[in-house]
Amino acid sequence: MKNLDTEKHIKGKSLFIDDFPTPDGTLILDVFYSSVAHAKIVSVDYSEAEKLDGVKKIITAGDIIGENQIGGIIHDETLLAENEVTYIGEPIAIIAAKDKRTAHKAKSLINIKYEELPVITDPKEACEKGELIIPPRIFSCGDIYNTWDCCDYIFEDTVETGGQEHLYLETQGSIAIPVEGKKIKIISSTQGPTYVQKAVSKVLNIPMHFVEVDVLRLGGAFGGKEDQATAFGAMAGLAAYILQRPAKLVLNRHDDLVITGKRHPYISDYKIGLNKEGKILAYEVSYYQNSGACADLSTPILDRSLFHATNSYSIPNVKSTGYCCRTNLAPNTAFRGFGGPQAMFVIEAAIHKAAEEMGIDVEEIQKKNLVSEKDVTHYGQVLNNCNAQKCFNQTTDLYNYNQLKLDVKKFNSENDQYKKGIAIMPICFGISFTNSFLNQGSALIHIYTDGSVQISAAAVEMGQGVNQKLRLIAANVFSIPVELITVESTNTTRVANTSPTAASSGADLNGNAVFIACNNLLDRLINRAAEILNITDPKLISIKNGTVYISGEKTDLAWNGLIEQAYFNRVNLSSQALYTTPEIYFDKETNKGNPFAYHVYGTAVITSKVDCVRGIYNIESVKLVHDFGKSIDPVVDKGQTEGAVVQGLGWLTIEEIAHNVNGKLLSDTLSTYKVPDIYFAPDEIEIEFLEDSENRFGPLNSKAIGEPPFMYGIGGYFSIINAIKSFNPKLEINYSAPITPEKVLMSLYGK
Ligand code: LUZ
Ligand code: MOS
């Protein structure tokens, strides 16, 4: 593996929040949170806890110096609850103690009395009761109402997808250190350093330039630290500031599972209309998003569902409506795919149902409706360099889909206990933050006098390899060995006003910024080299493999020498650059525009095998052709693809978030919440890079990789459904995910 951190990870030398050496006397924090889902707080008695030896202070809403408000988009989220709690896990107080044990013990000594209020956990119930975070959002095109009459077939159904726990290996955490002059430094495990900076500034009522946020790396995030790391940064900041002592807050796994939100569960109603040939003429869909108790990122997540309502299909008449439904669960949040997977599941379920009822092959409908070059989406974007059909056809050809299908058929005719299923999953995912202003990346590059190069950027390394990509981009521009280049922590004093590392866009936005900054430096260096070598036209000068060339002829001037001479000539060896994605806009009134720089395409074929006695299954193979553009680092991109596939499969199969009617999370340990491990992972994942893919919006012609392959997992769901169908052909399928082994067993023997 070529990832920059790999060796340190393997040797256990990489630092995460809990590993940072902290100054003597650092206070350890713990969060006291609500144990009921909806209630008025009648009284809280902290006296026993405060008496405990080693407890320094218990901090409550009343201690907040500035505003008790951390809602990033909609200001509906307090840092610490005041009079009312709206979900189990809602923070009420911060305990600052001499060590972890004491803090934890103190927590159990707090005596709280609630007056319980009605609890809503179901999004449709919330919607009926008017509990919507924003008015319904509608994205549409054409005229569905006058199309239904032209359809030969119309199908309607309700489908569900469940939540998903991020299960980043490193739980949420922050260290806060008071700095002279009423300033503060926060070391945070966040995807959004600037969000933490803003929240700390607001909660402490100090200006943003008094707050430094530093992020070395995260032990995974998956969207779970885009918004939700902010609270813990602010809590650590508050404690450190009030007590003027360093403070550390690292959640234990159980508290992290209870306090933090997850992927949004959706209930969706659809109606699909097709003609005899399988062309989809109309599609109407309503998404009931279970947003949880606060807005968090629910509103842009809903928008992304609406954008991806039609997955990779061209449908002339579409009406998609979305509801952000406020319930008494922990606020659900960003998770790889950001609402896209939830919507893409629905259209796939609709196509599967249509194929089943019409007696034709699913892939026939999929193929007939794939988007093509210059198609206009229901949100008004013209698709350029559309690779959907290329990927679909290459997948079916390369892996010989017809033969795979025959093999499955043959296997099923020869076996009773085991049945196999196969499914195709095409994907189309828009790249750019749907809030256009967030599409900016920045970089600050220093070249030191020995020729070594240091990059700071807005991107946060969370295991996805963005730092390695930034290095490779700089190495490519300068044409010097990658070993000469390091990437520093993401720090708000070096790079300001950072967009979160999210939306698969970290390497795109910041890679382009690195590209611009490096080219600025290269121009200065080339000019200096021309002077040194007495060449009047700097265009004749180039740098290759660390050496200066004139018109393709090697000179004696090497990179190090050039840098040294540039320094003595007082050339500026630092450069800062901002990259902003060009040509994107979106009108939030009409819901039309050109929101995405480009789209990522691909198609996977997935085969699974079900044990029809036990209901258990395994995913045998995932074979795909994916559009990587021109990959900057094929090893990193392959790793991202494999990880996304397995995480996607987990969401739709074994990962089941369960709450009871009182809003209590039942799957609150790793013995009741099953995540994919190496034994669950497909026996075989074959990844083919689509050839000749260009992308002028990606650094070095690359394409974003983080989220798109997650959606291949949806095909795993349908492959299992198909295996069940071959065992129990009369089954009326209830398209709801995840399809756990329990559900498989009931389906095998159900009606
Ligand atoms: N985060 C965000 C995202 O703030 N806006 C987005 O459009 C987005 N998309 C995917 C993942 N995170
Ligand atoms: Mo995100 S779901 O933080 O890209």
Side-chain angles (χ1 to χ4, degrees):
M1 294 287 284
K2 292 178 192 157
N3 197 343
L4 182 54
D5 279 341
T6 305
E7 194 179 323
K8 284 187 278 293
H9 283 356
I10 288 171
K11 292 183 174 167
K13 302 258 185 218
S14 300
L15 295 185
F16 300 91
I17 296 295
D18 213 15
D19 306 318
F20 281 97
T22 45
D24 277 352
T26 297
L27 294 165
I28 302 300
L29 309 179
D30 204 339
V31 185
F32 172 69
Y33 54 81
S34 174
S35 55
V36 297
H38 192 195
K40 283 209 154 54
I41 298 175
V42 178
S43 65
V44 198
D45 180 2
Y46 295 107
S47 57
E48 287 302 310
E50 280 166 338
K51 269 187 243 157
L52 193 69
D53 191 35
V55 172
K56 175 84 179 162
K57 185 173 168 64
I58 298 181
I59 296 162
T60 63
D63 296 309
I64 292 175
I65 303 154
E67 249 184 277
N68 184 14
Q69 184 49 246
I70 55 162
I73 299 173
I74 294 171
H75 302 294
D76 68 346
E77 187 173 357
T78 54
L79 180 67
L80 297 172
E82 292 174 10
N83 307 313
E84 189 181 333
V85 285
T86 55
Y87 65 94
I88 294 176
E90 182 169 348
I92 299 170
I94 308 159
I95 301 151
K98 68 174 196 306
D99 57 29
K100 219 185 235 181
R101 270 180 104 126
T102 310
H104 196 74
K105 178 94 194 287
K107 197 153 113 167
S108 65
L109 296 175
I110 298 172
N111 201 338
I112 184 163
K113 291 206 171 62
Y114 302 103
E115 181 187 317
E116 295 203 36
L117 296 166
V119 172
I120 300 175
T121 58
D122 178 83
K124 278 194 169 170
E125 184 189 343
C127 189
E128 277 156 21
K129 294 188 170 152
E131 288 291 334
L132 294 181
I133 290 170
I134 51 163
R137 299 269 294 143
I138 300 174
F139 286 25
S140 64
C141 71
D143 173 2
I144 49 162
Y145 298 110
N146 289 307
T147 311
W148 298 123
D149 286 345
C150 315
C151 298
D152 298 314
Y153 294 95
I154 294 174
F155 307 104
E156 292 178 68
D157 205 355
T158 298
V159 305
E160 293 187 32
T161 48
Q164 187 176 24
E165 166 57 41
H166 302 86
L167 215 88
Y168 24 68
L169 283 177
E170 180 192 30
T171 55
Q172 302 273 5
S174 276
I175 297 168
I177 301 164
V179 178
E180 66 163 37
K182 300 231 150 145
K183 291 184 175 178
I184 191 155
K185 176 172 176 173
I186 313 279
I187 303 169
S188 169
S189 181
T190 178
Q191 291 171 252
T194 295
Y195 291 166
V196 174
Q197 185 190 18
K198 261 193 188 142
V200 170
S201 127
K202 203 162 155 181
V203 167
L204 300 184
N205 194 26
I206 52 176
M208 281 172 76
H209 66 181
F210 277 30
V211 185
E212 171 184 354
V213 178
D214 191 76
V215 183
L216 180 59
R217 68 164 66 74
L218 321 186
F222 310 111
K225 296 171 183 172
E226 180 172 342
D227 192 273
Q228 299 213 345
T230 301
F232 307 101
M235 287 181 205
L238 181 64
Y241 204 74
I242 290 177
L243 301 168
Q244 284 298 302
R245 290 241 316 250
K248 176 162 102 172
L249 172 59
V250 175
L251 293 187
N252 66 41
R253 180 65 65 186
H254 177 79
D255 285 353
D256 190 301
L257 291 171
V258 173
I259 298 174
T260 67
K262 299 153 203 329
R263 180 185 294 284
H264 293 78
Y266 275 49
I267 301 176
S268 309
D269 299 327
Y270 74 79
K271 182 172 172 184
I272 191 169
L274 305 90
N275 70 13
K276 276 204 255 348
E277 287 75 44
K279 175 81 194 112
I280 304 170
L281 303 179
Y283 181 57
E284 185 176 10
V285 62
S286 297
Y287 304 112
Y288 297 87
Q289 177 198 68
N290 192 332
S291 310
C294 310
D296 191 278
L297 292 163
S298 294
T299 53
I301 289 166
L302 186 78
D303 274 6
R304 197 172 271 277
S305 302
L306 296 166
F307 282 115
H308 292 85
T310 58
N311 186 13
S312 51
Y313 308 109
S314 173
I315 305 177
N317 305 285
V318 176
K319 183 181 178 200
S320 54
T321 309
Y323 304 89
C324 285
C325 309
R326 200 189 287 278
T327 60
N328 297 112
L329 302 181
N332 286 316
T333 194
F335 198 137
R336 207 173 195 170
F338 206 73
Q342 290 93 322
M344 285 159 69
F345 178 83
V346 183
I347 184 78
E348 292 302 319
I351 289 172
H352 277 253
K353 186 172 174 99
E356 158 122 358
E357 303 271 339
M358 290 165 70
I360 59 176
D361 289 334
V362 174
E363 61 270 24
E364 215 174 294
I365 301 181
Q366 289 174 321
K367 195 167 169 169
K368 192 156 280 159
N369 292 283
L370 281 179
V371 283
S372 51
E373 187 66 15
K374 302 291 176 210
D375 274 352
V376 182
T377 63
H378 60 290
Y379 48 88
Q381 177 154 8
V382 178
L383 297 177
N384 293 310
N385 301 317
C386 175
N387 290 325
Q389 303 196 1
K390 258 198 222 162
C391 291
F392 195 95
N393 294 334
Q394 284 191 24
T395 294
T396 50
D397 290 353
L398 178 71
Y399 302 114
N400 200 348
Y401 174 69
N402 289 333
Q403 188 57 47
L404 291 174
K405 207 172 159 180
L406 286 174
D407 294 347
V408 166
K409 218 171 172 176
K410 182 160 178 287
F411 178 92
N412 289 346
S413 69
E414 292 168 356
N415 286 277
D416 292 329
Q417 185 187 338
Y418 294 97
K419 296 289 180 189
K420 289 192 183 185
I422 184 165
I424 295 187
M425 181 65 201
I427 59 151
C428 168
F429 196 80
I431 300 300
S432 288
F433 287 94
T434 59
N435 272 329
S436 298
F437 76 90
L438 288 172
N439 293 290
Q440 44 183 312
S442 40
L444 171 67
I445 317 264
H446 299 313
I447 307 177
Y448 293 95
T449 53
D450 65 352
S452 63
V453 178
Q454 194 183 66
I455 300 174
S456 294
V460 166
E461 175 64 48
M462 55 189 104
Q464 86 280 42
V466 69
N467 284 353
Q468 179 66 359
K469 287 188 177 179
L470 298 184
R471 275 175 108 197
L472 289 169
I473 292 164
N476 179 288
V477 173
F478 293 135
S479 193
I480 56 173
V482 74
E483 292 72 26
L484 281 180
I485 304 164
T486 56
V487 182
E488 294 310 299
S489 66
T490 315
N491 186 299
T492 54
T493 67
R494 271 178 272 115
V495 178
N497 310 325
T498 60
S499 288
T501 300
S504 305
S505 67
D508 274 20
L509 297 172
N510 298 286
N512 277 318
V514 166
F515 187 82
I516 297 167
C518 289
N519 272 297
N520 292 341
L521 289 162
L522 185 65
D523 278 350
R524 294 175 208 156
L525 293 172
I526 295 271
N527 285 329
R528 183 65 200 130
E531 285 164 26
I532 296 166
L533 299 166
N534 275 322
I535 302 293
T536 43
D537 184 4
K539 283 197 195 69
L540 302 177
I541 306 276
S542 60
I543 300 174
K544 263 188 287 183
N545 301 323
T547 302
V548 177
Y549 283 69
I550 308 171
S551 307
E553 294 284 325
K554 205 168 173 167
T555 69
D556 290 337
L557 187 60
W559 172 260
N560 302 22
L562 174 59
I563 299 300
E564 200 177 28
Q565 296 210 40
Y567 169 73
F568 283 119
N569 209 255
R570 293 180 287 178
V571 172
N572 180 356
L573 291 174
S574 299
S575 175
Q576 187 271 346
L578 179 79
Y579 172 79
T580 61
T581 311
E583 299 162 38
I584 49 168
Y585 59 91
F586 191 67
D587 180 336
K588 287 196 175 173
E589 296 303 316
T590 60
N591 292 325
K592 299 278 179 197
N594 193 67
F596 299 118
Y598 61 91
H599 290 76
V600 170
Y601 302 92
T603 298
V605 48
I606 296 105
T607 313
S608 62
K609 185 161 95 179
V610 172
D611 176 337
C612 301
V613 172
R614 297 177 178 84
I616 57 177
Y617 45 74
N618 75 307
I619 308 293
E620 293 203 316
S621 70
V622 178
K623 297 166 191 264
L624 58 95
V625 175
H626 185 86
D627 177 9
F628 294 87
K630 299 232 175 327
S631 176
I632 294 172
D633 187 334
V635 178
V636 165
D637 281 352
K638 225 172 153 180
Q640 282 291 294
T641 306
E642 291 171 350
V645 162
V646 174
Q647 196 169 38
L649 288 167
W651 172 49
L652 291 147
T653 59
I654 57 174
E655 294 184 51
E656 186 174 38
I657 301 263
H659 291 92
N660 70 12
V661 289
N662 301 321
K664 180 176 160 44
L665 180 67
L666 300 174
S667 46
D668 64 353
T669 72
L670 295 188
S671 56
T672 51
Y673 187 74
K674 299 293 188 187
V675 282
D677 58 12
I678 194 64
Y679 302 103
F680 172 87
D683 304 336
E684 191 184 6
I685 303 180
E686 273 190 64
I687 297 168
E688 184 71 17
F689 289 58
L690 179 74
E691 279 175 18
D692 301 324
S693 174
E694 285 289 326
N695 178 32
R696 69 189 166 94
F697 296 97
L700 309 181
N701 266 308
S702 63
K703 279 198 169 185
I705 186 62
E707 296 169 294
F710 180 92
M711 271 68 70
Y712 293 131
I714 295 170
Y717 174 92
F718 290 102
S719 73
I720 292 170
I721 291 285
N722 288 339
I724 296 170
K725 271 205 280 196
S726 81
F727 183 84
N728 183 5
K730 288 201 207 89
L731 177 74
E732 175 145 2
I733 294 154
N734 168 18
Y735 289 98
S736 86
I739 182 132
T740 56
E742 294 89 329
K743 265 196 221 159
V744 170
L745 196 60
M746 290 196 284
S747 306
L748 288 167
Y749 300 96
K751 294 215 179 71

